[in-house]
Structure formats: structure tokens, C-alpha cells
């Protein structure tokens, strides 16, 4: 039974949005919390079900155009995600999930589709599909090492004044304007798959710390070695 004090991780619409192993983001958060003795409870919310409002960290993944449109409609009708974020919850939104958080995004034929307006961004179809490895330097205010991941999207994303770019692209396309992702308060949007939190454990820790405060350090030497290898390969390639 979940205890009241467990960290509640909410995985939104696994039946619609979970490409390229984005569900791994849930596993990484669970594992990094549990390795520090923090109890977790994970709630998988299918698209027919209401979004719980008392979660701590909400995760949403990438997807094809049609399920993305359905997910946006259902989230808008539900309204629970807005209320959860207003209560102080954190969120990581990936690719299609990231675009949905904005005011609008490009549908199957490039037509504008309404997002849910949780982030001050808007997306549309770009000139070409962005596919491949991405490396980006994170906004200094967040104090994180470089982000690495895999991107595959048609959309480009324009950031409004209500958000800050998450990072500056060194390799890859990201938002399409030299930056990748965005953040506002405790909400992070990104084009990164990989899954993003497996490739970037420091980003997982940032989300955790926003809810539980200062975190005990973990021995990440094995993951760090893999990260170094991957970064070196991508940057040389
Ligand atoms: N359908 C969106 C796009 O192509 C998102 C794709 C994804 O989530 N991988 O831009």
C-alpha cells in the first residue's frame, strides 16, 4: 500500500504517448528516489481516466501526431494537470508531450492544433524532420551538466517570454532556433528521448529535489563513464 508520505510519480497516458522508451523516465525517477530511501508510488493514468491532482512529479512522453492530438484534447477537457502544477507539482514533458504543453502545435497535415497552454510556447511543423543525437549546454541557472539524448520530430517550437530555454544546442536541432527545450517554474519541456532521465540523471535529480529538497549524493560512476563515452562519440561524429 502506498503511504501518504510516498513521492507520487504520475505517468500520463501510457496508452497514447510513450515512444522511444520514454517510460524509462518513470523507472529512473523511482530508482533514484528509492536508492536514497525515499518511498515512491507510481500512478499510470490511461487516457480514459482523470489526472490525479495530488501527484509530486508528472511525466508525459512523445508520440505520433494522432495520439498527440487525442492526448491534448483529453488533457484540456480534464484540467487536472493545470491544477496539479498550480499546487506546486513538477513535470517533465517530452517531445509530443512538450508540444502539447504550449498554446498550439502542428497536426498531421501541419494544421494548427490547440495545446493546453501550460507553457508559454507554440509549435508548428518545421522544414524537415529532425532525427539524431542531440547534445546541449544547460541554462547556467540550473547548474546541470550537458544534456544528451535522441530526437525525432517534425515540430519546431517557439518560446514566449514566460519560459526560459532549457539549453543551447551544441549538436542537433531541438526547438529549431539554436535552443533545446524550455522550463518555467518546476515544469521542464524537452525534445530529448533516450530516455532523457537515463541519459541525464542530473535532470532526474533536479526534478526530485524540487519536491523533496536536498538529495543525498549517489555513486553514479558507472553511468558517468557511459555518459562520457556517448558524449565523446556524438561530439566527434
Ligand atoms: N508528432 C510530433 C512531431 O513530429 C512529436 C513527435 C514525437 O513525439 N517523437 O513533432
Amino acid at each position: 500500500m502506498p503511504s501518504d508520505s510516498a513521492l507520487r510519480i504520475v505517468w500520463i497516458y501510457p496508452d497514447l504517448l510513450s515512444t522511444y522508451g520514454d517510460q524509462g523516465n518513470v523507472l529512473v525517477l523511482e530508482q533514484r528516489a528509492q536508492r536514497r530511501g525515499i518511498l515512491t508510488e507510481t500512478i499510470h493514468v490511461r487516457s480514459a481516466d482523470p489526472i490525479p491532482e495530488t501527484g509530486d512529479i508528472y511525466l508525459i512522453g512523445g508520440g505520433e501526431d494522432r495520439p498527440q492530438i487525442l492526448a491534448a484534447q483529453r488533457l484540456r477537457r480534464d484540467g487536472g494537470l493545470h491544477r496539479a502544477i498550480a499546487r506546486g507539482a513538477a513535470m517533465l514533458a517530452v517531445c509530443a508531450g512538450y508540444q502539447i504543453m504550449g498554446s498550439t502545435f502542428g497536426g498531421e497535415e501541419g494544421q494548427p492544433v490547440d495545446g493546453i497552454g501550460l507553457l508559454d510556447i507554440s509549435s508548428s511543423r518545421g522544414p524537415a524532420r529532425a532525427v539524431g543525437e542531440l547534445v546541449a549546454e544547460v541554462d547556467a541557472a540550473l547548474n546541470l551538466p550537458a544534456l544528451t539524448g535522441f530526437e525525432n520530430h517534425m515540430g519546431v517550437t517557439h518560446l514566449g517570454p514566460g519560459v526560459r530555454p532549457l539549453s543551447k544546442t551544441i549538436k542537433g536541432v531541438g526547438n529549431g532556433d539554436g535552443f533545446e527545450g524550455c522550463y518555467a517554474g518546476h515544469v521542464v519541456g524537452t525534445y530529448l528521448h533516450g530516455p532523457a532521465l537515463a541519459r541525464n540523471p542530473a535532470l532526474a535529480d533536479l526534478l526530485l529535489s524540487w519536491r523533496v529538497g536536498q538529495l543525498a549524493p549517489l555513486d553514479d560512476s558507472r553511468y558517468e563513464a557511459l555518459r562520457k563515452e556517448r558524449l565523446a562519440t556524438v561530439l566527434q561524429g
Side-chain angles (χ1 to χ4, degrees):
M1 271 299 285
S3 106
D4 271 354
S5 62
L7 181 87
R8 284 161 64 95
I9 300 168
V10 183
W11 174 225
I12 301 173
Y13 298 170
D15 52 329
L16 293 177
L17 299 174
S18 181
T19 42
Y20 308 114
D22 289 335
Q23 184 165 0
N25 290 329
V26 179
L27 304 178
V28 173
L29 277 184
E30 286 173 347
Q31 195 214 49
R32 295 186 74 78
Q34 288 163 11
R35 283 170 70 197
R36 294 171 163 114
I38 301 166
L39 285 176
T40 63
E41 175 197 355
T42 299
I43 305 155
H44 290 235
V45 186
R46 295 178 65 80
S47 56
D49 297 330
I51 304 283
E53 293 171 27
T54 56
D56 288 292
I57 305 178
Y58 290 74
L59 297 166
I60 184 166
E64 306 300 327
D65 294 344
R66 257 187 225 194
Q68 177 176 1
I69 293 170
L70 269 178
Q73 286 167 348
R74 290 177 188 184
L75 279 174
R76 213 178 28 250
R77 220 179 298 141
D78 182 277
L81 189 56
H82 278 85
R83 291 190 287 273
I85 300 302
R87 292 169 67 117
M91 177 163 70
L92 176 72
V94 175
C95 205
Y98 169 39
Q99 295 176 1
I100 285 173
M101 297 305 137
S103 57
T104 181
F105 60 88
E108 292 151 290
E109 309 296 334
Q111 78 278 17
V113 176
D114 285 345
I116 67 165
L118 199 57
L119 286 172
D120 182 15
I121 60 171
S122 61
S123 303
S124 56
R125 279 221 158 176
R129 180 166 285 276
V131 189
E133 288 289 319
L134 196 149
V135 176
E137 238 164 48
V138 184
D139 184 21
L142 294 178
N143 196 24
L144 295 180
L147 295 175
T148 101
F150 171 76
E151 62 179 336
N152 183 357
H153 54 100
M154 278 298 292
V156 292
T157 297
H158 171 75
L159 309 190
V163 296
R164 284 176 67 91
L166 175 64
S167 59
K168 208 169 168 359
T169 47
I170 299 172
K171 185 117 191 171
V173 177
N175 296 336
D177 60 355
F179 293 98
E180 147 44 34
C182 80
Y183 71 101
H186 293 169
V187 177
V188 176
T190 178
Y191 274 110
L192 293 179
H193 303 282
L197 299 185
R199 293 271 205 109
N200 305 284
L203 182 57
D205 284 358
L206 179 69
L207 293 165
L208 289 172
S209 71
W210 279 340
R211 292 305 293 171
V212 303
Q214 207 182 346
L215 298 169
L218 294 178
D219 176 8
D220 280 335
S221 40
R222 281 168 58 205
Y223 311 116
E224 277 314 314
L226 283 171
R227 257 180 70 83
K228 270 201 194 110
E229 238 172 70
R230 171 151 329 245
L231 278 167
T233 310
V234 175
L235 292 174
Q236 275 159 27

